[in-house]
Amino acid sequence: MKIAAAQSIITSDIRENGRTIRALIVQAATQGARLVNFCEGALSGYAKAQISSPESWLDLDWTTHDAELAAIAETCKGHNIFAVIGSAHALPAPQPPHNSQYIISDTGDLIGRYDKRFLSN
């Protein structure tokens, strides 16, 4: 199995991150990869400059996040490739989100999620 590791530029713009992730998935699939792995926060943003305090998570657009995750899943399905996408995962308020890795199959299904339970400050 050919596996691709993708290091995308991570911004605070979820739509831009999603576009970049989808382009890298297509590139990996075109080069014969069956799985592409992305770093922590690839979709939601991660850098301390982007998420400066726990309150910063209140401004994250979860609707856009979910739409981009769905678009990524469709890209996986369309290119017959698995992907592991680093992103935040929302929890009920007032809890901050988990730092997670979403696992998407080559059929576009979310087949798992790993949650990092403790984040450093």
Side-chain angles (χ1 to χ4, degrees):
M1 175 191 280
K2 191 172 189 179
I3 299 171
Q7 177 63 56
S8 55
I9 294 174
I10 301 171
T11 73
S12 59
D13 184 338
I14 295 170
R15 284 188 180 96
E16 180 61 29
N17 294 340
R19 281 190 293 271
T20 300
I21 288 167
R22 289 191 301 277
L24 289 170
I25 288 171
V26 171
Q27 181 181 352
T30 301
Q31 294 177 10
R34 289 284 294 129
L35 168 70
V36 59
N37 186 59
F38 290 85
C39 65
E40 287 183 309
L43 180 58
S44 61
Y46 182 74
K48 295 202 188 268
Q50 296 159 5
I51 310 296
S52 58
S53 71
E55 292 76 31
S56 297
W57 289 112
L58 298 173
D59 296 330
L60 196 128
D61 183 350
W62 292 106
T63 301
T64 297
H65 175 274
D66 294 347
E68 288 298 326
L69 197 58
I72 290 166
E74 282 299 310
T75 301
C76 288
K77 180 179 179 179
H79 292 277
N80 197 38
I81 188 170
F82 288 77
V84 180
I85 309 296
S87 191
H89 177 75
L91 295 174
Q95 295 175 300
H98 282 316
N99 179 4
S100 300
Q101 293 290 115
Y102 290 92
I103 302 141
I104 301 170
S105 75
D106 59 350
T107 60
D109 296 311
L110 178 64
I111 58 172
R113 191 185 78 235
Y114 167 78
D115 297 327
K116 190 184 226 181
R117 304 270 188 222
F118 181 76
L119 303 180
S120 72
N121 56 2

PDB file of all heavy atoms in Angstrom, residues 54-55 57 62 89-99 119:
ATOM      1  N   PRO A  54      -8.683  29.729  25.108  1.00  0.00           N
ATOM      2  CA  PRO A  54      -9.841  28.818  25.028  1.00  0.00           C
ATOM      3  C   PRO A  54     -11.084  29.499  24.465  1.00  0.00           C
ATOM      4  O   PRO A  54     -11.891  28.867  23.782  1.00  0.00           O
ATOM      5  CB  PRO A  54     -10.051  28.387  26.478  1.00  0.00           C
ATOM      6  CG  PRO A  54      -8.706  28.513  27.102  1.00  0.00           C
ATOM      7  CD  PRO A  54      -8.073  29.716  26.433  1.00  0.00           C
ATOM      8  N   GLU A  55     -11.229  30.785  24.709  1.00  0.00           N
ATOM      9  CA  GLU A  55     -12.394  31.511  24.197  1.00  0.00           C
ATOM     10  C   GLU A  55     -12.367  31.626  22.670  1.00  0.00           C
ATOM     11  O   GLU A  55     -13.410  31.831  22.046  1.00  0.00           O
ATOM     12  CB  GLU A  55     -12.468  32.903  24.824  1.00  0.00           C
ATOM     13  CG  GLU A  55     -12.787  32.893  26.308  1.00  0.00           C
ATOM     14  CD  GLU A  55     -11.585  32.495  27.178  1.00  0.00           C
ATOM     15  OE1 GLU A  55     -10.426  32.767  26.804  1.00  0.00           O
ATOM     16  OE2 GLU A  55     -11.817  31.887  28.236  1.00  0.00           O
ATOM     17  N   TRP A  57     -12.091  29.361  20.596  1.00  0.00           N
ATOM     18  CA  TRP A  57     -12.872  28.281  20.009  1.00  0.00           C
ATOM     19  C   TRP A  57     -14.334  28.667  19.851  1.00  0.00           C
ATOM     20  O   TRP A  57     -15.038  28.095  19.014  1.00  0.00           O
ATOM     21  CB  TRP A  57     -12.757  27.019  20.856  1.00  0.00           C
ATOM     22  CG  TRP A  57     -11.414  26.382  20.761  1.00  0.00           C
ATOM     23  CD1 TRP A  57     -10.482  26.306  21.754  1.00  0.00           C
ATOM     24  CD2 TRP A  57     -10.839  25.744  19.627  1.00  0.00           C
ATOM     25  NE1 TRP A  57      -9.366  25.652  21.285  1.00  0.00           N
ATOM     26  CE2 TRP A  57      -9.562  25.301  19.986  1.00  0.00           C
ATOM     27  CE3 TRP A  57     -11.294  25.505  18.323  1.00  0.00           C
ATOM     28  CZ2 TRP A  57      -8.728  24.629  19.102  1.00  0.00           C
ATOM     29  CZ3 TRP A  57     -10.459  24.838  17.452  1.00  0.00           C
ATOM     30  CH2 TRP A  57      -9.198  24.402  17.835  1.00  0.00           C
ATOM     31  N   TRP A  62     -18.396  26.131  13.120  1.00  0.00           N
ATOM     32  CA  TRP A  62     -18.559  24.681  13.062  1.00  0.00           C
ATOM     33  C   TRP A  62     -19.395  24.247  11.862  1.00  0.00           C
ATOM     34  O   TRP A  62     -19.212  23.138  11.344  1.00  0.00           O
ATOM     35  CB  TRP A  62     -19.156  24.153  14.368  1.00  0.00           C
ATOM     36  CG  TRP A  62     -18.184  24.299  15.499  1.00  0.00           C
ATOM     37  CD1 TRP A  62     -18.228  25.206  16.512  1.00  0.00           C
ATOM     38  CD2 TRP A  62     -16.998  23.531  15.722  1.00  0.00           C
ATOM     39  NE1 TRP A  62     -17.141  25.049  17.351  1.00  0.00           N
ATOM     40  CE2 TRP A  62     -16.372  24.022  16.890  1.00  0.00           C
ATOM     41  CE3 TRP A  62     -16.393  22.473  15.053  1.00  0.00           C
ATOM     42  CZ2 TRP A  62     -15.190  23.496  17.398  1.00  0.00           C
ATOM     43  CZ3 TRP A  62     -15.217  21.942  15.556  1.00  0.00           C
ATOM     44  CH2 TRP A  62     -14.624  22.451  16.702  1.00  0.00           C
ATOM     45  N   HIS A  89     -12.646  18.809  17.175  1.00  0.00           N
ATOM     46  CA  HIS A  89     -13.959  18.151  17.212  1.00  0.00           C
ATOM     47  C   HIS A  89     -14.761  18.793  18.335  1.00  0.00           C
ATOM     48  O   HIS A  89     -14.350  18.784  19.493  1.00  0.00           O
ATOM     49  CB  HIS A  89     -13.815  16.649  17.451  1.00  0.00           C
ATOM     50  CG  HIS A  89     -15.129  15.957  17.555  1.00  0.00           C
ATOM     51  ND1 HIS A  89     -15.918  15.705  16.451  1.00  0.00           N
ATOM     52  CD2 HIS A  89     -15.813  15.513  18.628  1.00  0.00           C
ATOM     53  CE1 HIS A  89     -17.024  15.106  16.846  1.00  0.00           C
ATOM     54  NE2 HIS A  89     -16.995  14.983  18.162  1.00  0.00           N
ATOM     55  N   ALA A  90     -15.903  19.355  17.981  1.00  0.00           N
ATOM     56  CA  ALA A  90     -16.724  20.106  18.937  1.00  0.00           C
ATOM     57  C   ALA A  90     -17.268  19.220  20.052  1.00  0.00           C
ATOM     58  O   ALA A  90     -17.666  18.086  19.815  1.00  0.00           O
ATOM     59  CB  ALA A  90     -17.887  20.778  18.213  1.00  0.00           C
ATOM     60  N   LEU A  91     -17.286  19.787  21.247  1.00  0.00           N
ATOM     61  CA  LEU A  91     -17.902  19.179  22.423  1.00  0.00           C
ATOM     62  C   LEU A  91     -18.927  20.156  22.966  1.00  0.00           C
ATOM     63  O   LEU A  91     -18.876  21.347  22.649  1.00  0.00           O
ATOM     64  CB  LEU A  91     -16.844  18.878  23.488  1.00  0.00           C
ATOM     65  CG  LEU A  91     -15.798  17.835  23.114  1.00  0.00           C
ATOM     66  CD1 LEU A  91     -14.734  17.752  24.193  1.00  0.00           C
ATOM     67  CD2 LEU A  91     -16.439  16.482  22.892  1.00  0.00           C
ATOM     68  N   PRO A  92     -19.857  19.698  23.790  1.00  0.00           N
ATOM     69  CA  PRO A  92     -20.841  20.621  24.352  1.00  0.00           C
ATOM     70  C   PRO A  92     -20.170  21.724  25.187  1.00  0.00           C
ATOM     71  O   PRO A  92     -19.180  21.465  25.877  1.00  0.00           O
ATOM     72  CB  PRO A  92     -21.704  19.734  25.245  1.00  0.00           C
ATOM     73  CG  PRO A  92     -21.470  18.337  24.769  1.00  0.00           C
ATOM     74  CD  PRO A  92     -20.087  18.311  24.210  1.00  0.00           C
ATOM     75  N   ALA A  93     -20.686  22.937  25.084  1.00  0.00           N
ATOM     76  CA  ALA A  93     -20.170  24.065  25.871  1.00  0.00           C
ATOM     77  C   ALA A  93     -20.313  23.740  27.353  1.00  0.00           C
ATOM     78  O   ALA A  93     -21.250  23.043  27.738  1.00  0.00           O
ATOM     79  CB  ALA A  93     -20.930  25.331  25.521  1.00  0.00           C
ATOM     80  N   PRO A  94     -19.434  24.161  28.163  1.00  0.00           N
ATOM     81  CA  PRO A  94     -18.324  25.083  27.938  1.00  0.00           C
ATOM     82  C   PRO A  94     -17.003  24.380  27.645  1.00  0.00           C
ATOM     83  O   PRO A  94     -15.944  25.004  27.666  1.00  0.00           O
ATOM     84  CB  PRO A  94     -18.231  25.820  29.269  1.00  0.00           C
ATOM     85  CG  PRO A  94     -18.544  24.764  30.285  1.00  0.00           C
ATOM     86  CD  PRO A  94     -19.594  23.892  29.611  1.00  0.00           C
ATOM     87  N   GLN A  95     -17.029  23.086  27.340  1.00  0.00           N
ATOM     88  CA  GLN A  95     -15.794  22.352  27.098  1.00  0.00           C
ATOM     89  C   GLN A  95     -15.141  22.786  25.798  1.00  0.00           C
ATOM     90  O   GLN A  95     -15.824  22.976  24.785  1.00  0.00           O
ATOM     91  CB  GLN A  95     -16.077  20.855  27.028  1.00  0.00           C
ATOM     92  CG  GLN A  95     -16.576  20.263  28.313  1.00  0.00           C
ATOM     93  CD  GLN A  95     -16.960  18.802  28.127  1.00  0.00           C
ATOM     94  OE1 GLN A  95     -17.831  18.495  27.323  1.00  0.00           O
ATOM     95  NE2 GLN A  95     -16.297  17.933  28.855  1.00  0.00           N
ATOM     96  N   PRO A  96     -13.802  22.917  25.790  1.00  0.00           N
ATOM     97  CA  PRO A  96     -13.122  23.168  24.519  1.00  0.00           C
ATOM     98  C   PRO A  96     -13.155  21.896  23.677  1.00  0.00           C
ATOM     99  O   PRO A  96     -13.365  20.801  24.207  1.00  0.00           O
ATOM    100  CB  PRO A  96     -11.689  23.515  24.946  1.00  0.00           C
ATOM    101  CG  PRO A  96     -11.512  22.841  26.262  1.00  0.00           C
ATOM    102  CD  PRO A  96     -12.866  22.843  26.914  1.00  0.00           C
ATOM    103  N   PRO A  97     -12.970  22.010  22.383  1.00  0.00           N
ATOM    104  CA  PRO A  97     -13.032  20.835  21.516  1.00  0.00           C
ATOM    105  C   PRO A  97     -11.836  19.901  21.734  1.00  0.00           C
ATOM    106  O   PRO A  97     -10.806  20.309  22.271  1.00  0.00           O
ATOM    107  CB  PRO A  97     -13.009  21.428  20.112  1.00  0.00           C
ATOM    108  CG  PRO A  97     -12.334  22.732  20.281  1.00  0.00           C
ATOM    109  CD  PRO A  97     -12.705  23.228  21.640  1.00  0.00           C
ATOM    110  N   HIS A  98     -12.012  18.676  21.294  1.00  0.00           N
ATOM    111  CA  HIS A  98     -10.892  17.740  21.250  1.00  0.00           C
ATOM    112  C   HIS A  98     -10.004  18.084  20.061  1.00  0.00           C
ATOM    113  O   HIS A  98     -10.470  18.592  19.043  1.00  0.00           O
ATOM    114  CB  HIS A  98     -11.375  16.303  21.054  1.00  0.00           C
ATOM    115  CG  HIS A  98     -11.912  15.653  22.279  1.00  0.00           C
ATOM    116  ND1 HIS A  98     -11.321  15.729  23.510  1.00  0.00           N
ATOM    117  CD2 HIS A  98     -13.001  14.872  22.448  1.00  0.00           C
ATOM    118  CE1 HIS A  98     -12.007  15.032  24.387  1.00  0.00           C
ATOM    119  NE2 HIS A  98     -13.059  14.513  23.769  1.00  0.00           N
ATOM    120  N   ASN A  99      -8.746  17.771  20.173  1.00  0.00           N
ATOM    121  CA  ASN A  99      -7.798  17.796  19.068  1.00  0.00           C
ATOM    122  C   ASN A  99      -7.874  16.388  18.471  1.00  0.00           C
ATOM    123  O   ASN A  99      -7.440  15.428  19.100  1.00  0.00           O
ATOM    124  CB  ASN A  99      -6.405  18.117  19.602  1.00  0.00           C
ATOM    125  CG  ASN A  99      -5.362  18.148  18.513  1.00  0.00           C
ATOM    126  OD1 ASN A  99      -5.664  18.010  17.341  1.00  0.00           O
ATOM    127  ND2 ASN A  99      -4.122  18.316  18.905  1.00  0.00           N
ATOM    128  N   LEU A 119      -4.801  18.734  26.039  1.00  0.00           N
ATOM    129  CA  LEU A 119      -4.029  19.665  25.218  1.00  0.00           C
ATOM    130  C   LEU A 119      -3.144  20.502  26.121  1.00  0.00           C
ATOM    131  O   LEU A 119      -3.551  20.905  27.205  1.00  0.00           O
ATOM    132  CB  LEU A 119      -4.958  20.586  24.431  1.00  0.00           C
ATOM    133  CG  LEU A 119      -5.974  19.891  23.533  1.00  0.00           C
ATOM    134  CD1 LEU A 119      -6.822  20.933  22.818  1.00  0.00           C
ATOM    135  CD2 LEU A 119      -5.306  18.978  22.544  1.00  0.00           C
TER     136      LEU A 119
END
